[in-house]
Amino acid sequence: MSDKKIIAVVGATGAQGGGLVRAITGDPRGRFIARAITRDVNSEKARALAKSGAEVVAADIDDEAGLAAALRGADGAYFVTFFWAHFSPEKEKAEVRNMAGAAKAAGVKHVIWSTLEDTRQWVPLSDTRMPTLMGKYKVPHFDAKGESNKVFTELGVPTTFLFTSFYWDNLIHFGMGPKKGPDGKLAFTIPMGDKKLPGMAAEDIGKCAYGIVKKGAEYINKSVGSAGEHLTGAQMAAALSVALGQEVRYNAVSPEMYRSFGFPGAEDLGNMFQFNRDFEQVFCDARSIDLSRALNPSLQTFKTWLAQNKTRIPLE
């Protein structure tokens, strides 16, 4: 019988969870087994994880009892939600309650919860500098996660709160890459002014989480922030110019302008960038590059990420 500890990973076919599963299965001297939890064990991504050596188990985060069954026997668990699948902070909070309750029921000894700030601690609903969305949020996909941190604490679940950063992968998958203007020139558009935005490769979030797993109990009941670099929009545009071999201008629009773009989530993201801009020091200080590299020695910079991914960025 193996003496390796099982780490259950919710969202194992997603960006963060998949990164953690691959970090575990790719470590030949590792002391852990990855249990990939997914709704569809027959999906192409789930089959790829099974082929890599992961144990693949079916469960749905909307089903607390079923999730608890999938977690039984696991020493640790990684929890993440995906707001952009439904755009509902209420659903996201319900998912977190289910995950925390399932972890408690299954006796999981260490949960890593992928979270973000509740921005209302800095920008209350009465603050008119930023519009209130959905009646009670400033940045819904941040606030729902931040508000839910207390669920783990109240249930007494031993938890590390892993604060993540802007995915550079958003330039590939989320339509945030450089776009051609009427003059045919490429422009990278974010409303950050001259402030720095913590960012990282999505794969590295999973690798940082694996670093926390390997530390055992060291980070239980603590917050850990992860980032690959803190970069201004101008610095990102300069790096994109070099990588793509053509000029990429930095289009520093206002948050108001960004919120007006009209795509699904534009208001939420406009508020997010405004929060990141207006509270640059708070946001950056919470995400240590040095600690991230200590947890994940292969941590990528934006330059190294671009070298691997530049051909995948759609240039519209």
Side-chain angles (χ1 to χ4, degrees):
M1 183 176 178
S2 173
D3 59 354
K4 292 187 176 183
K5 295 178 178 179
I6 295 171
I7 306 300
V9 183
V10 167
T13 59
Q16 295 185 32
L20 175 54
V21 172
R22 287 185 288 274
I24 294 172
T25 59
D27 184 354
R29 295 181 295 177
R31 311 183 304 277
F32 306 96
I33 295 171
R35 177 181 293 172
I37 297 178
T38 181
R39 287 187 176 93
D40 182 5
V41 298
N42 295 311
S43 71
E44 184 178 343
K45 289 182 177 180
R47 291 198 304 269
L49 293 176
K51 189 175 181 180
S52 74
E55 172 190 348
V56 181
V57 176
D60 192 318
I61 58 176
D62 293 327
D63 175 10
E64 182 178 334
L67 182 56
L71 291 173
R72 287 202 176 91
D75 186 80
Y78 186 81
F79 291 153
V80 62
T81 54
F82 188 58
F83 174 88
W84 306 108
H86 46 70
F87 292 86
S88 170
E90 304 308 319
K91 179 172 174 56
E92 191 166 34
K93 290 190 288 186
E95 291 171 346
V96 178
R97 287 193 295 271
N98 286 343
M99 290 189 294
K104 179 72 172 180
V108 177
K109 297 174 184 174
H110 184 190
V111 163
I112 301 174
W113 158 231
S114 174
T115 190
L116 291 162
E117 286 83 352
D118 184 342
T119 64
R120 295 166 297 182
Q121 294 177 19
W122 292 270
V123 190
L125 297 183
S126 59
D127 192 327
T128 58
R129 289 177 298 170
M130 183 185 294
T132 295
L133 306 178
M134 302 181 185
K136 54 182 178 180
Y137 302 99
K138 288 299 186 180
V139 184
H141 82 279
F142 269 52
D143 299 347
K145 294 180 181 69
E147 181 181 327
S148 297
N149 292 349
K150 64 184 180 184
V151 177
F152 295 95
T153 304
E154 289 169 354
L155 288 177
V157 178
T159 303
T160 300
F161 301 92
L162 178 59
F163 286 78
T164 60
S165 292
F166 176 83
Y167 293 4
W168 294 326
D169 308 67
N170 288 336
L171 275 64
I172 301 171
H173 305 297
F174 213 69
M176 291 186 178
K179 293 179 173 56
K180 288 184 180 179
D183 61 357
K185 298 287 188 179
L186 289 172
F188 174 60
T189 303
I190 53 172
M192 287 292 297
D194 61 355
K195 304 301 183 183
K196 291 182 177 180
L197 175 68
M200 69 191 306
E203 188 79 3
D204 280 339
I205 298 175
K207 290 181 179 180
C208 287
Y210 184 45
I212 293 170
V213 167
K214 291 189 289 185
K215 291 291 186 179
E218 183 174 338
Y219 291 105
I220 286 178
N221 300 326
K222 294 181 180 178
S223 295
V224 175
S226 57
E229 282 193 283
H230 301 162
L231 298 172
T232 65
Q235 288 172 325
M236 293 181 74
L240 283 161
S241 298
V242 173
L244 299 174
Q246 56 182 305
E247 182 187 7
V248 177
R249 298 172 179 172
Y250 172 40
N251 186 22
V253 298
S254 68
E256 292 79 10
M257 175 65 75
Y258 199 93
R259 285 191 285 267
S260 74
F261 284 166
F263 63 83
E267 290 184 309
D268 189 324
L269 292 172
N271 281 11
M272 176 197 77
F273 284 121
Q274 184 175 344
F275 174 74
N276 295 167
R277 182 197 70 181
D278 294 352
F279 298 91
E280 175 196 34
Q281 185 167 353
V282 169
F283 202 71
C284 289
D285 286 353
R287 289 158 173 80
S288 168
I289 298 167
D290 289 341
L291 175 56
S292 299
R293 185 168 290 110
L295 292 169
N296 169 23
S298 64
L299 186 72
Q300 298 172 75
T301 63
F302 190 44
K303 179 180 178 180
T304 56
W305 181 85
L306 281 171
Q308 294 296 320
N309 294 279
K310 60 186 178 183
T311 59
R312 301 174 63 207
I313 299 174
L315 303 178
E316 300 175 11

